[in-house]
PDB file of all heavy atoms in Angstrom:
ATOM      1  N   ASP A   1       3.223  -6.468  10.909  1.00 94.00           N
ATOM      2  CA  ASP A   1       4.071  -7.612  10.627  1.00 94.00           C
ATOM      3  C   ASP A   1       4.691  -7.439   9.241  1.00 94.00           C
ATOM      4  O   ASP A   1       4.026  -6.977   8.304  1.00 94.00           O
ATOM      5  CB  ASP A   1       3.227  -8.887  10.672  1.00 94.00           C
ATOM      6  CG  ASP A   1       4.008 -10.114  10.271  1.00 94.00           C
ATOM      7  OD1 ASP A   1       4.684 -10.686  11.129  1.00 94.00           O
ATOM      8  OD2 ASP A   1       3.920 -10.478   9.074  1.00 94.00           O
ATOM      9  N   ASP A   2       5.967  -7.793   9.096  1.00 94.00           N
ATOM     10  CA  ASP A   2       6.679  -7.538   7.843  1.00 94.00           C
ATOM     11  C   ASP A   2       5.998  -8.178   6.635  1.00 94.00           C
ATOM     12  O   ASP A   2       5.874  -7.548   5.578  1.00 94.00           O
ATOM     13  CB  ASP A   2       8.120  -8.039   7.939  1.00 94.00           C
ATOM     14  CG  ASP A   2       8.983  -7.185   8.850  1.00 94.00           C
ATOM     15  OD1 ASP A   2       8.583  -6.048   9.148  1.00 94.00           O
ATOM     16  OD2 ASP A   2      10.054  -7.671   9.269  1.00 94.00           O
ATOM     17  N   LEU A   3       5.560  -9.422   6.780  1.00 93.00           N
ATOM     18  CA  LEU A   3       4.918 -10.099   5.657  1.00 93.00           C
ATOM     19  C   LEU A   3       3.586  -9.439   5.301  1.00 93.00           C
ATOM     20  O   LEU A   3       3.237  -9.298   4.126  1.00 93.00           O
ATOM     21  CB  LEU A   3       4.712 -11.580   5.983  1.00 93.00           C
ATOM     22  CG  LEU A   3       5.985 -12.434   6.070  1.00 93.00           C
ATOM     23  CD1 LEU A   3       5.624 -13.853   6.478  1.00 93.00           C
ATOM     24  CD2 LEU A   3       6.741 -12.419   4.757  1.00 93.00           C
ATOM     25  N   VAL A   4       2.838  -9.035   6.327  1.00 93.00           N
ATOM     26  CA  VAL A   4       1.559  -8.366   6.090  1.00 93.00           C
ATOM     27  C   VAL A   4       1.782  -7.026   5.402  1.00 93.00           C
ATOM     28  O   VAL A   4       1.073  -6.661   4.462  1.00 93.00           O
ATOM     29  CB  VAL A   4       0.794  -8.185   7.411  1.00 93.00           C
ATOM     30  CG1 VAL A   4      -0.458  -7.346   7.192  1.00 93.00           C
ATOM     31  CG2 VAL A   4       0.429  -9.529   8.001  1.00 93.00           C
ATOM     32  N   ALA A   5       2.782  -6.289   5.865  1.00 95.00           N
ATOM     33  CA  ALA A   5       3.078  -4.988   5.265  1.00 95.00           C
ATOM     34  C   ALA A   5       3.423  -5.133   3.785  1.00 95.00           C
ATOM     35  O   ALA A   5       2.949  -4.364   2.938  1.00 95.00           O
ATOM     36  CB  ALA A   5       4.224  -4.317   6.019  1.00 95.00           C
ATOM     37  N   GLU A   6       4.248  -6.113   3.456  1.00 94.00           N
ATOM     38  CA  GLU A   6       4.614  -6.330   2.050  1.00 94.00           C
ATOM     39  C   GLU A   6       3.396  -6.717   1.226  1.00 94.00           C
ATOM     40  O   GLU A   6       3.214  -6.256   0.089  1.00 94.00           O
ATOM     41  CB  GLU A   6       5.687  -7.416   1.951  1.00 94.00           C
ATOM     42  CG  GLU A   6       7.054  -6.989   2.435  1.00 94.00           C
ATOM     43  CD  GLU A   6       7.754  -6.029   1.479  1.00 94.00           C
ATOM     44  OE1 GLU A   6       7.239  -5.811   0.361  1.00 94.00           O
ATOM     45  OE2 GLU A   6       8.794  -5.496   1.871  1.00 94.00           O
ATOM     46  N   GLU A   7       2.539  -7.572   1.795  1.00 92.00           N
ATOM     47  CA  GLU A   7       1.345  -8.015   1.070  1.00 92.00           C
ATOM     48  C   GLU A   7       0.393  -6.856   0.818  1.00 92.00           C
ATOM     49  O   GLU A   7      -0.148  -6.696  -0.284  1.00 92.00           O
ATOM     50  CB  GLU A   7       0.648  -9.121   1.852  1.00 92.00           C
ATOM     51  CG  GLU A   7      -0.610  -9.678   1.185  1.00 92.00           C
ATOM     52  CD  GLU A   7      -0.292 -10.514  -0.037  1.00 92.00           C
ATOM     53  OE1 GLU A   7       0.878 -10.856  -0.251  1.00 92.00           O
ATOM     54  OE2 GLU A   7      -1.241 -10.816  -0.779  1.00 92.00           O
ATOM     55  N   ILE A   8       0.172  -6.028   1.841  1.00 92.00           N
ATOM     56  CA  ILE A   8      -0.718  -4.875   1.680  1.00 92.00           C
ATOM     57  C   ILE A   8      -0.145  -3.895   0.660  1.00 92.00           C
ATOM     58  O   ILE A   8      -0.867  -3.376  -0.198  1.00 92.00           O
ATOM     59  CB  ILE A   8      -0.954  -4.187   3.031  1.00 92.00           C
ATOM     60  CG1 ILE A   8      -1.843  -5.059   3.917  1.00 92.00           C
ATOM     61  CG2 ILE A   8      -1.582  -2.808   2.854  1.00 92.00           C
ATOM     62  CD1 ILE A   8      -2.020  -4.535   5.323  1.00 92.00           C
ATOM     63  N   TYR A   9       1.141  -3.659   0.750  1.00 93.00           N
ATOM     64  CA  TYR A   9       1.776  -2.722  -0.190  1.00 93.00           C
ATOM     65  C   TYR A   9       1.636  -3.225  -1.621  1.00 93.00           C
ATOM     66  O   TYR A   9       1.329  -2.454  -2.538  1.00 93.00           O
ATOM     67  CB  TYR A   9       3.250  -2.554   0.171  1.00 93.00           C
ATOM     68  CG  TYR A   9       3.878  -1.308  -0.410  1.00 93.00           C
ATOM     69  CD1 TYR A   9       3.909  -0.121   0.302  1.00 93.00           C
ATOM     70  CD2 TYR A   9       4.440  -1.328  -1.686  1.00 93.00           C
ATOM     71  CE1 TYR A   9       4.477   1.026  -0.232  1.00 93.00           C
ATOM     72  CE2 TYR A   9       5.009  -0.193  -2.234  1.00 93.00           C
ATOM     73  CZ  TYR A   9       5.031   0.983  -1.503  1.00 93.00           C
ATOM     74  OH  TYR A   9       5.591   2.118  -2.046  1.00 93.00           O
ATOM     75  N   THR A  10       1.843  -4.523  -1.807  1.00 91.00           N
ATOM     76  CA  THR A  10       1.759  -5.090  -3.148  1.00 91.00           C
ATOM     77  C   THR A  10       0.322  -5.147  -3.649  1.00 91.00           C
ATOM     78  O   THR A  10       0.030  -4.776  -4.794  1.00 91.00           O
ATOM     79  CB  THR A  10       2.359  -6.510  -3.162  1.00 91.00           C
ATOM     80  OG1 THR A  10       3.733  -6.443  -2.769  1.00 91.00           O
ATOM     81  CG2 THR A  10       2.246  -7.129  -4.540  1.00 91.00           C
ATOM     82  N   SER A  11      -0.604  -5.568  -2.784  1.00 88.00           N
ATOM     83  CA  SER A  11      -1.953  -5.860  -3.251  1.00 88.00           C
ATOM     84  C   SER A  11      -2.834  -4.636  -3.381  1.00 88.00           C
ATOM     85  O   SER A  11      -3.736  -4.612  -4.218  1.00 88.00           O
ATOM     86  CB  SER A  11      -2.630  -6.860  -2.301  1.00 88.00           C
ATOM     87  OG  SER A  11      -2.795  -6.290  -1.020  1.00 88.00           O
ATOM     88  N   ILE A  12      -2.581  -3.592  -2.574  1.00 90.00           N
ATOM     89  CA  ILE A  12      -3.473  -2.445  -2.642  1.00 90.00           C
ATOM     90  C   ILE A  12      -2.755  -1.160  -3.022  1.00 90.00           C
ATOM     91  O   ILE A  12      -3.200  -0.433  -3.913  1.00 90.00           O
ATOM     92  CB  ILE A  12      -4.264  -2.267  -1.332  1.00 90.00           C
ATOM     93  CG1 ILE A  12      -5.297  -1.141  -1.489  1.00 90.00           C
ATOM     94  CG2 ILE A  12      -3.375  -2.016  -0.148  1.00 90.00           C
ATOM     95  CD1 ILE A  12      -6.321  -1.113  -0.386  1.00 90.00           C
ATOM     96  N   VAL A  13      -1.611  -0.868  -2.389  1.00 92.00           N
ATOM     97  CA  VAL A  13      -0.924   0.389  -2.698  1.00 92.00           C
ATOM     98  C   VAL A  13      -0.500   0.422  -4.163  1.00 92.00           C
ATOM     99  O   VAL A  13      -0.738   1.405  -4.877  1.00 92.00           O
ATOM    100  CB  VAL A  13       0.291   0.590  -1.771  1.00 92.00           C
ATOM    101  CG1 VAL A  13       1.103   1.807  -2.206  1.00 92.00           C
ATOM    102  CG2 VAL A  13      -0.162   0.754  -0.330  1.00 92.00           C
ATOM    103  N   ASN A  14       0.111  -0.643  -4.625  1.00 90.00           N
ATOM    104  CA  ASN A  14       0.602  -0.670  -6.005  1.00 90.00           C
ATOM    105  C   ASN A  14      -0.513  -0.761  -7.037  1.00 90.00           C
ATOM    106  O   ASN A  14      -0.262  -0.557  -8.229  1.00 90.00           O
ATOM    107  CB  ASN A  14       1.574  -1.832  -6.200  1.00 90.00           C
ATOM    108  CG  ASN A  14       2.922  -1.571  -5.559  1.00 90.00           C
ATOM    109  OD1 ASN A  14       3.275  -0.434  -5.280  1.00 90.00           O
ATOM    110  ND2 ASN A  14       3.688  -2.629  -5.323  1.00 90.00           N
ATOM    111  N   SER A  15      -1.740  -1.074  -6.590  1.00 90.00           N
ATOM    112  CA  SER A  15      -2.852  -1.161  -7.541  1.00 90.00           C
ATOM    113  C   SER A  15      -3.693   0.109  -7.587  1.00 90.00           C
ATOM    114  O   SER A  15      -4.635   0.194  -8.378  1.00 90.00           O
ATOM    115  CB  SER A  15      -3.750  -2.347  -7.173  1.00 90.00           C
ATOM    116  OG  SER A  15      -4.407  -2.122  -5.935  1.00 90.00           O
ATOM    117  N   MET A  16      -3.355   1.089  -6.746  1.00 92.00           N
ATOM    118  CA  MET A  16      -4.137   2.325  -6.718  1.00 92.00           C
ATOM    119  C   MET A  16      -3.868   3.168  -7.958  1.00 92.00           C
ATOM    120  O   MET A  16      -2.731   3.273  -8.419  1.00 92.00           O
ATOM    121  CB  MET A  16      -3.793   3.136  -5.475  1.00 92.00           C
ATOM    122  CG  MET A  16      -4.218   2.507  -4.170  1.00 92.00           C
ATOM    123  SD  MET A  16      -5.948   2.791  -3.772  1.00 92.00           S
ATOM    124  CE  MET A  16      -5.921   4.524  -3.293  1.00 92.00           C
ATOM    125  N   PRO A  17      -4.905   3.813  -8.529  1.00 92.00           N
ATOM    126  CA  PRO A  17      -4.685   4.732  -9.643  1.00 92.00           C
ATOM    127  C   PRO A  17      -3.768   5.872  -9.226  1.00 92.00           C
ATOM    128  O   PRO A  17      -3.728   6.262  -8.054  1.00 92.00           O
ATOM    129  CB  PRO A  17      -6.101   5.246  -9.955  1.00 92.00           C
ATOM    130  CG  PRO A  17      -7.024   4.251  -9.342  1.00 92.00           C
ATOM    131  CD  PRO A  17      -6.318   3.690  -8.149  1.00 92.00           C
ATOM    132  N   THR A  18      -3.039   6.409 -10.173  1.00 91.00           N
ATOM    133  CA  THR A  18      -2.065   7.459  -9.850  1.00 91.00           C
ATOM    134  C   THR A  18      -2.719   8.732  -9.340  1.00 91.00           C
ATOM    135  O   THR A  18      -2.076   9.530  -8.662  1.00 91.00           O
ATOM    136  CB  THR A  18      -1.212   7.787 -11.078  1.00 91.00           C
ATOM    137  OG1 THR A  18      -2.077   8.190 -12.163  1.00 91.00           O
ATOM    138  CG2 THR A  18      -0.386   6.583 -11.508  1.00 91.00           C
ATOM    139  N   HIS A  19      -4.007   8.946  -9.641  1.00 93.00           N
ATOM    140  CA  HIS A  19      -4.683  10.160  -9.183  1.00 93.00           C
ATOM    141  C   HIS A  19      -5.321   9.990  -7.810  1.00 93.00           C
ATOM    142  O   HIS A  19      -5.816  10.956  -7.232  1.00 93.00           O
ATOM    143  CB  HIS A  19      -5.771  10.569 -10.188  1.00 93.00           C
ATOM    144  CG  HIS A  19      -6.877   9.550 -10.292  1.00 93.00           C
ATOM    145  ND1 HIS A  19      -6.820   8.490 -11.167  1.00 93.00           N
ATOM    146  CD2 HIS A  19      -8.051   9.424  -9.618  1.00 93.00           C
ATOM    147  CE1 HIS A  19      -7.915   7.763 -11.035  1.00 93.00           C
ATOM    148  NE2 HIS A  19      -8.685   8.299 -10.099  1.00 93.00           N
ATOM    149  N   ALA A  20      -5.323   8.772  -7.264  1.00 96.00           N
ATOM    150  CA  ALA A  20      -5.990   8.509  -5.993  1.00 96.00           C
ATOM    151  C   ALA A  20      -5.030   8.779  -4.839  1.00 96.00           C
ATOM    152  O   ALA A  20      -3.928   8.229  -4.801  1.00 96.00           O
ATOM    153  CB  ALA A  20      -6.485   7.068  -5.944  1.00 96.00           C
ATOM    154  N   PRO A  21      -5.414   9.620  -3.892  1.00 97.00           N
ATOM    155  CA  PRO A  21      -4.500   9.955  -2.794  1.00 97.00           C
ATOM    156  C   PRO A  21      -4.281   8.789  -1.836  1.00 97.00           C
ATOM    157  O   PRO A  21      -5.213   8.059  -1.497  1.00 97.00           O
ATOM    158  CB  PRO A  21      -5.194  11.125  -2.092  1.00 97.00           C
ATOM    159  CG  PRO A  21      -6.632  11.002  -2.460  1.00 97.00           C
ATOM    160  CD  PRO A  21      -6.668  10.387  -3.819  1.00 97.00           C
ATOM    161  N   ILE A  22      -3.035   8.643  -1.415  1.00 98.00           N
ATOM    162  CA  ILE A  22      -2.656   7.644  -0.424  1.00 98.00           C
ATOM    163  C   ILE A  22      -1.845   8.330   0.669  1.00 98.00           C
ATOM    164  O   ILE A  22      -0.943   9.112   0.372  1.00 98.00           O
ATOM    165  CB  ILE A  22      -1.816   6.503  -1.023  1.00 98.00           C
ATOM    166  CG1 ILE A  22      -2.521   5.848  -2.216  1.00 98.00           C
ATOM    167  CG2 ILE A  22      -1.506   5.452   0.037  1.00 98.00           C
ATOM    168  CD1 ILE A  22      -1.670   4.803  -2.908  1.00 98.00           C
ATOM    169  N   VAL A  23      -2.167   8.019   1.911  1.00 98.00           N
ATOM    170  CA  VAL A  23      -1.378   8.474   3.050  1.00 98.00           C
ATOM    171  C   VAL A  23      -0.900   7.246   3.807  1.00 98.00           C
ATOM    172  O   VAL A  23      -1.707   6.396   4.213  1.00 98.00           O
ATOM    173  CB  VAL A  23      -2.193   9.383   3.996  1.00 98.00           C
ATOM    174  CG1 VAL A  23      -1.355   9.754   5.227  1.00 98.00           C
ATOM    175  CG2 VAL A  23      -2.663  10.642   3.273  1.00 98.00           C
ATOM    176  N   ILE A  24       0.401   7.140   3.965  1.00 98.00           N
ATOM    177  CA  ILE A  24       0.998   6.150   4.852  1.00 98.00           C
ATOM    178  C   ILE A  24       1.625   6.919   5.996  1.00 98.00           C
ATOM    179  O   ILE A  24       2.389   7.861   5.767  1.00 98.00           O
ATOM    180  CB  ILE A  24       2.054   5.291   4.136  1.00 98.00           C
ATOM    181  CG1 ILE A  24       1.413   4.414   3.057  1.00 98.00           C
ATOM    182  CG2 ILE A  24       2.813   4.424   5.129  1.00 98.00           C
ATOM    183  CD1 ILE A  24       2.419   3.598   2.255  1.00 98.00           C
ATOM    184  N   GLN A  25       1.312   6.551   7.216  1.00 98.00           N
ATOM    185  CA  GLN A  25       1.858   7.283   8.350  1.00 98.00           C
ATOM    186  C   GLN A  25       2.162   6.335   9.494  1.00 98.00           C
ATOM    187  O   GLN A  25       1.565   5.265   9.615  1.00 98.00           O
ATOM    188  CB  GLN A  25       0.891   8.362   8.817  1.00 98.00           C
ATOM    189  CG  GLN A  25      -0.440   7.845   9.323  1.00 98.00           C
ATOM    190  CD  GLN A  25      -1.416   8.966   9.635  1.00 98.00           C
ATOM    191  OE1 GLN A  25      -1.365  10.040   9.051  1.00 98.00           O
ATOM    192  NE2 GLN A  25      -2.309   8.730  10.578  1.00 98.00           N
ATOM    193  N   SER A  26       3.108   6.764  10.347  1.00 97.00           N
ATOM    194  CA  SER A  26       3.442   5.918  11.484  1.00 97.00           C
ATOM    195  C   SER A  26       4.335   6.663  12.463  1.00 97.00           C
ATOM    196  O   SER A  26       5.080   7.572  12.083  1.00 97.00           O
ATOM    197  CB  SER A  26       4.173   4.649  11.020  1.00 97.00           C
ATOM    198  OG  SER A  26       4.313   3.731  12.095  1.00 97.00           O
TER     199      SER A  26
END
């Protein structure tokens, strides 16, 4: 859901340390 995606991106992706690996896939 668009609102959920924005919330997750803001609350967790943007708070991750720069050295921590993130994979987004779809």
